[in-house]
Amino acid sequence: MPENEFKELCWKADYLDSQRFLEAAGDYVMAIMEEMEVKQIQEYLNIVDDYTPEERKAMEEHPLEFFTGVSIQQDETEQQPQAADNGQ
């Protein structure tokens, strides 16, 4: 499916509040972005490059995590069971 059609389908699914489709679309986009370089991710997401030197360094070291925050979400999820275990 061409990229423009995929984006239009996502907008329509968002309007219809199709959570199942949006989660699958998000997984698909994450898989695509894993293979991209920083410049490609910026172009794909239509991001203006106005980053500080510190942000650029973080971006270069972990581009997918920088643009999506995935590692932060995973870290929080992993810490919750540990915290529950410590409280027992």
Side-chain angles (χ1 to χ4, degrees), residues 54-72:
E54 294 82 17
E55 290 172 324
R56 287 180 195 278
K57 183 178 178 186
M59 183 188 323
E60 290 294 331
E61 290 174 358
H62 305 286
L64 190 59
E65 295 171 5
F66 181 85
F67 288 108
T68 64
V70 169
S71 68
I72 295 169

Side-chain angles (χ1 to χ4, degrees), residues 41-83:
I41 293 172
Q42 289 174 320
E43 290 172 4
Y44 186 77
L45 298 176
N46 198 25
I47 296 174
V48 176
D49 187 352
D50 62 350
Y51 299 106
T52 66
E54 294 82 17
E55 290 172 324
R56 287 180 195 278
K57 183 178 178 186
M59 183 188 323
E60 290 294 331
E61 290 174 358
H62 305 286
L64 190 59
E65 295 171 5
F66 181 85
F67 288 108
T68 64
V70 169
S71 68
I72 295 169
Q73 293 172 1
Q74 289 175 345
D75 290 344
E76 290 174 351
T77 303
E78 291 171 1
Q79 290 175 3
Q80 288 173 356
Q82 291 174 353

Side-chain angles (χ1 to χ4, degrees), residues 5 7-8 13-16 20 25-27 29 36 40-41 47 58 61-62 65 70-72 79 81-82 86:
E5 288 180 22
K7 288 179 180 180
E8 185 175 335
D14 183 44
Y15 177 78
L16 296 172
R20 185 174 177 188
D27 291 342
V29 170
M36 292 181 177
Q40 293 171 311
I41 293 172
I47 296 174
E61 290 174 358
H62 305 286
E65 295 171 5
V70 169
S71 68
I72 295 169
Q79 290 175 3
Q82 291 174 353
N86 292 338

Side-chain angles (χ1 to χ4, degrees), residues 8-19 21-22:
E8 185 175 335
L9 184 60
C10 289
W11 291 323
K12 290 177 181 180
D14 183 44
Y15 177 78
L16 296 172
D17 198 25
S18 176
Q19 193 63 31
F21 174 82
L22 292 173

